[in-house]
Amino acid sequence: MIRKTVANASEALQGVENGMTLMLGGFGLCGIPENAISELVRLGVKDLSCISNNAGVDDFGLGLLLQERQVKKMISSYVGENAEFERQMLSGELEVELTPQGTLAEKCRAAKSGFPAFYTPAGFGTEVAIGKETREFNGKMYVLEEAFHADFSFVKAWKGDTAGNLIFKGTARNFNPCMCGAATVTVAEVEELVPAGTLDPNAIHVPGIFVQRIFQGENYEKRIEQLTLRERSST
């Protein structure tokens, strides 16, 4: 059995260099690769192009990379929780490519599956379609979208084994699974790392063939973007 485990985030990120394109999993602040992001900040790599559903918040997630001016380009579908992101975008410091959420997920999945491109109706007739090939199918117009090309993909799972098989929890399944195998190197950090053969094969969401490196993360904060509580009843 091939062992894909590495000791920590530092070892997992070996080979990351300036100017690379990175995929980072998660949805909002749910299921983000916290340890990998912290290591990217520590390494100080610059001019990164980051593919992620969102840009984190000002002091957490990808917001940490934005604070250190390590990101050259963000490819995202939702960026409304980060004031520093907004400032950099409006000032022209940061290149931004906004992509419909489903298209973003499919561009990752296409890269994972080996498809160079696909047609989607999302974005036709908007700025999203400018400069792209369009085509009619059964009376409906579609936009040709190319699959992503990334150097590293960083994902976070609830549980994994030494062979790289992964299980995700809840909303963390939105983008993490489709980013596994969508880059030259996929790095998975997990809350619990178990020996190969421990996981129920029927419960595995991503097989280890899509993962090159895996390690057990630590000190997860698991922040909530917007905490809304019901007012206490007076009765």
Side-chain angles (χ1 to χ4, degrees), residues 91-130:
S91 68
E93 298 174 41
L94 179 68
E95 184 180 351
V96 178
E97 183 178 318
L98 293 176
T99 304
Q101 191 155 268
T103 302
L104 184 74
E106 188 64 12
K107 284 163 75 76
C108 295
R109 193 193 69 84
K112 171 182 181 176
S113 303
F115 298 119
F118 59 92
Y119 284 100
T120 174
F124 177 76
T126 72
E127 292 184 6
V128 171
I130 294 176

Side-chain angles (χ1 to χ4, degrees), residues 130-173:
I130 294 176
K132 298 176 182 177
E133 178 185 333
T134 58
R135 184 173 173 183
E136 182 179 344
F137 292 92
N138 300 318
K140 188 171 184 177
M141 295 303 298
Y142 290 76
V143 180
L144 183 68
E145 293 282 0
E146 296 185 3
F148 285 132
H149 297 281
D151 299 294
F152 278 81
S153 176
F154 298 107
V155 302
K156 190 260 180 178
W158 168 53
K159 189 179 292 187
D161 66 20
T162 54
N165 299 301
L166 303 176
I167 298 176
F168 299 91
K169 260 190 177 182
T171 308
R173 292 182 65 185

